[in-house]
Amino acid sequence: MAQLIDALFIKHFDNQLLNQRNDQALFTPPAGRLVISTDGHVISPLFFPGGDIGSLAVHGTINDVAMSGAKPLYLAAGFILEEGLPLADLEKIVISMAQASNKACVPIITGDTKVVERGKGDGVFITTTGIGVVADDIDISSERAEAGCKILVSGSLGDHGIAIMAGRENLQFETAIVSDSAALHGLVADMLAVAPNAIRCLRDPTRGGLATVLNELAQQSGVGMVIEEAKIPVKAEVKAACEILGLDPLFVANEGKLVCICEAAAAERLLNAMRQHPLGQDAAMIGEVITDTLCFVQMTTAFGGRRMVDWPVGEQLPRIC
Amino acid sequence: MAQLIDALFIKHFDNQLLNQRNDQALFTPPAGRLVISTDGHVISPLFFPGGDIGSLAVHGTINDVAMSGAKPLYLAAGFILEEGLPLADLEKIVISMAQASNKACVPIITGDTKVVERGKGDGVFITTTGIGVVADDIDISSERAEAGCKILVSGSLGDHGIAIMAGRENLQFETAIVSDSAALHGLVADMLAVAPNAIRCLRDPTRGGLATVLNELAQQSGVGMVIEEAKIPVKAEVKAACEILGLDPLFVANEGKLVCICEAAAAERLLNAMRQHPLGQDAAMIGEVITDTLCFVQMTTAFGGRRMVDWPVGEQLPRIC
């Protein structure tokens, strides 16, 4: 069994570094600062509209690396398999990982597999770790938002979370909602090309959605934020599904979107660059950073009022990534 | 809950890089080749004589990095928690990780936590990823064993596996057997200091034990090996426990031992250096590499005969690491 699994990985993740077959992979990074990010993936169900745990595990970690402004270089993958997982399912997942990694040009160069007894896991969990290199002049970090900065999002919110929930609840919507799972490093590279120094913060609003990311950034930067509901892109079918499920799209997970806080002077330039990228066509400027020692995130509603955008209470959608 | 857990990590893993609180950690590595290694830890029980899943997750990955001859620099840790895990247990594990990481001078600079429902995990799984830097003149790899090379082990075999099994089976031995879980990068550094170029292969014989490592190295290098049973250090109490449990110490897991294949001329020098290190006091030369296109590993038994040391059939000890 162990040999079967090894053979599966070697076959589909085929690359020179992995093929060294040591317990570690050796590589020579370009000079400069590196970033490392690690993310466990426990999504349920394993297969969903728009992807599966394999592609998600590749995209999620590439995005965490890219949100520092880094160019992702390599991935490592640790699998925890539950006894009884059909080998055909595992192969499907591995092929999907390989395709996502090839498309993104970020190879999986080392890995590990553990097997636990039936009932001690849930099919498969994948922990991916990514390494990237950051150009010298880039300084993107969660404490760099300042009053006057603009808040951009790269596209419509809530697609991933609603796709998963709809699958779980066996809801049938007229238009099938598909996860937005995608690797964002190309979009980030295009943004950096037009305004390398004006990007202050980048985050992918995964678990907890936009509301959580904005609250985290507000807190870490010691600022307030005001966003406008009317400007936040949410697909009509996602809005409808949220109403049925009693969810707020601001709290719903995304896997192919980013939030950018940038200097005001560069906002239009960045927005244009984003809209020219396939993953940023619906990019929008949704608000701005203000001075607020209480670090509140507020929203001007479509009706003209203002409400607080709070931290999520509890986890709205467990095992969404 | 999520905030509680985050606070726990920040408190105990306290270091400047982790405290950046981004989804990734930024660092500037020394120039040169790097290695990356990732390892999932699913050991059961979580606490055992001589360690717990936390210290093991630190030692295991440090060792995988060190087995390339690298100096380990940083760790990343991904936790998958099962709902219902007592917070006190988690804190014990996190403290133990922090202590192991501090002692080894290899900080945990980024991490992630996911929670799965009760019955979909088993307490906690920890996937650790390590990064290290390899000096220019070092070339240690699993295909570099050659006929004439000597085979060294750094100490007694089977301690970890037997400590875990004894705990699981509720066996009471007269002498308590304790896991050898330890970080080996200091020992490796001392070995490299006396013979930087003479070390061909390094491996830590974890899952599958010495027999598996030797078979893998023989296969990957295209050589045969002959080891001498009488020279293989196994503690009397481990030998006795193996007899009771029907196990062969050659197949039992270790978490603080290494196997070194080196050029014959440097073997004594390396052995002396190993014996002067606290983790190598019982180091021994146990055999040599021979020409054999079939890549067999053979053992001269204590009775003077010869037997094959085969690959393990199935997994002797599930969830041992």
Side-chain angles (χ1 to χ4, degrees), chain A residues 113-174:
Chain A
T113 308
K114 293 293 181 323
V115 178
V116 296
E117 307 92 313
R118 211 181 277 258
K120 302 290 184 185
D122 194 16
V124 53
F125 302 141
I126 307 175
T127 301
T128 30
T129 306
I131 294 279
V133 61
V134 194
D136 280 341
D137 53 346
I138 292 171
D139 185 9
I140 296 173
S141 191
S142 52
E143 81 291 349
R144 295 201 67 229
E146 267 179 8
C149 283
K150 298 295 181 187
I151 305 169
L152 316 178
V153 297
S154 64
S156 66
L157 297 180
D159 302 12
H160 176 73
I162 293 302
I164 304 306
M165 277 316 268
R168 276 194 211 157
E169 309 288 334
N170 261 319
L171 296 176
Q172 304 291 335
F173 297 108
E174 267 190 36

Side-chain angles (χ1 to χ4, degrees), chain A:
Chain A
M1 184 65 182
Q3 281 159 331
L4 251 175
I5 292 170
D6 277 357
L8 205 64
F9 292 139
I10 293 286
K11 177 176 159 200
H12 295 295
F13 295 160
D14 182 50
N15 65 67
Q16 208 197 319
L17 292 172
L18 185 70
N19 293 346
Q20 294 169 346
R21 304 215 53 180
N22 288 311
D23 282 341
Q24 69 291 117
L26 189 74
F27 63 98
T28 305
R33 297 170 302 162
L34 299 184
V35 293
I36 181 168
S37 186
T38 199
D39 228 343
H41 298 275
V42 300
I43 193 162
S44 171
L46 298 175
F47 302 93
F48 51 83
D52 57 46
I53 192 170
S55 53
L56 187 72
V58 169
H59 295 155
T61 296
I62 286 179
N63 292 349
D64 277 345
V65 168
M67 293 307 123
S68 65
K71 175 183 154 62
L73 299 171
Y74 300 110
L75 295 174
F79 293 79
I80 297 174
L81 308 178
E82 184 194 13
E83 228 175 3
L85 172 74
L87 202 62
D89 281 359
L90 180 61
E91 183 158 28
K92 235 169 112 179
I93 290 165
V94 169
I95 289 173
S96 158
M97 285 187 83
Q99 284 171 342
S101 134
N102 286 338
K103 191 174 168 200
C105 297
V106 185
I108 298 163
I109 60 171
T110 192
D112 174 66
T113 308
K114 293 293 181 323
V115 178
V116 296
E117 307 92 313
R118 211 181 277 258
K120 302 290 184 185
D122 194 16
V124 53
F125 302 141
I126 307 175
T127 301
T128 30
T129 306
I131 294 279
V133 61
V134 194
D136 280 341
D137 53 346
I138 292 171
D139 185 9
I140 296 173
S141 191
S142 52
E143 81 291 349
R144 295 201 67 229
E146 267 179 8
C149 283
K150 298 295 181 187
I151 305 169
L152 316 178
V153 297
S154 64
S156 66
L157 297 180
D159 302 12
H160 176 73
I162 293 302
I164 304 306
M165 277 316 268
R168 276 194 211 157
E169 309 288 334
N170 261 319
L171 296 176
Q172 304 291 335
F173 297 108
E174 267 190 36
T175 315
I177 299 164
V178 167
S179 166
D180 58 345
S181 177
L184 294 169
H185 57 316
L187 174 61
V188 172
D190 286 1
M191 293 167 66
L192 288 170
V194 300
N197 310 119
I199 301 175
R200 296 295 189 87
C201 316
L202 278 182
R203 272 292 174 88
D204 52 338
T206 54
R207 226 181 345 170
L210 178 69
T212 303
V213 161
L214 293 184
N215 272 290
E216 282 176 1
L217 294 176
Q219 195 104 77
Q220 288 172 36
S221 291
V223 295
M225 297 187 186
V226 181
I227 56 173
E228 288 179 60
E229 188 170 26
K231 294 194 177 163
I232 300 170
V234 181
K235 287 180 183 150
E237 53 266 46
V238 169
K239 213 173 273 180
C242 278
E243 275 169 24
I244 295 170
L245 295 165
L247 297 171
D248 181 338
L250 295 190
F251 292 97
V252 176
N254 309 277
E255 289 291 345
K257 299 291 156 35
L258 62 80
V259 178
C260 169
I261 295 188
C262 66
E263 292 166 19
E268 282 298 337
R269 209 175 342 138
L270 279 166
L271 213 48
N272 286 335
M274 290 164 85
R275 286 179 179 153
Q276 276 163 47
H277 191 280
L279 295 174
Q281 286 172 339
D282 301 321
M285 192 182 316
I286 62 164
E288 62 177 358
V289 179
I290 59 167
T291 302
D292 179 357
T293 52
L294 297 173
C295 306
F296 285 152
V297 178
Q298 303 176 63
M299 182 164 75
T300 310
T301 67
F303 305 108
R306 255 200 192 183
R307 73 166 174 91
M308 296 290 300
V309 178
D310 230 328
W311 293 87
V313 179
E315 196 167 13
Q316 281 205 330
L317 301 170
R319 299 186 61 189
I320 207 74
C321 60

Side-chain angles (χ1 to χ4, degrees), chain B residues 157-158 162 208-211 229 232 234 238-239 241-243 245-253 299 307-310 316-317:
Chain B
L157 296 180
I162 292 304
L210 177 69
E229 187 170 26
I232 299 170
V234 180
V238 170
K239 213 173 273 179
C242 278
E243 276 169 22
L245 295 165
L247 297 170
D248 181 338
L250 295 190
F251 291 96
V252 176
M299 182 164 74
R307 72 166 175 91
M308 295 290 299
V309 178
D310 230 328
Q316 280 207 331
L317 301 171

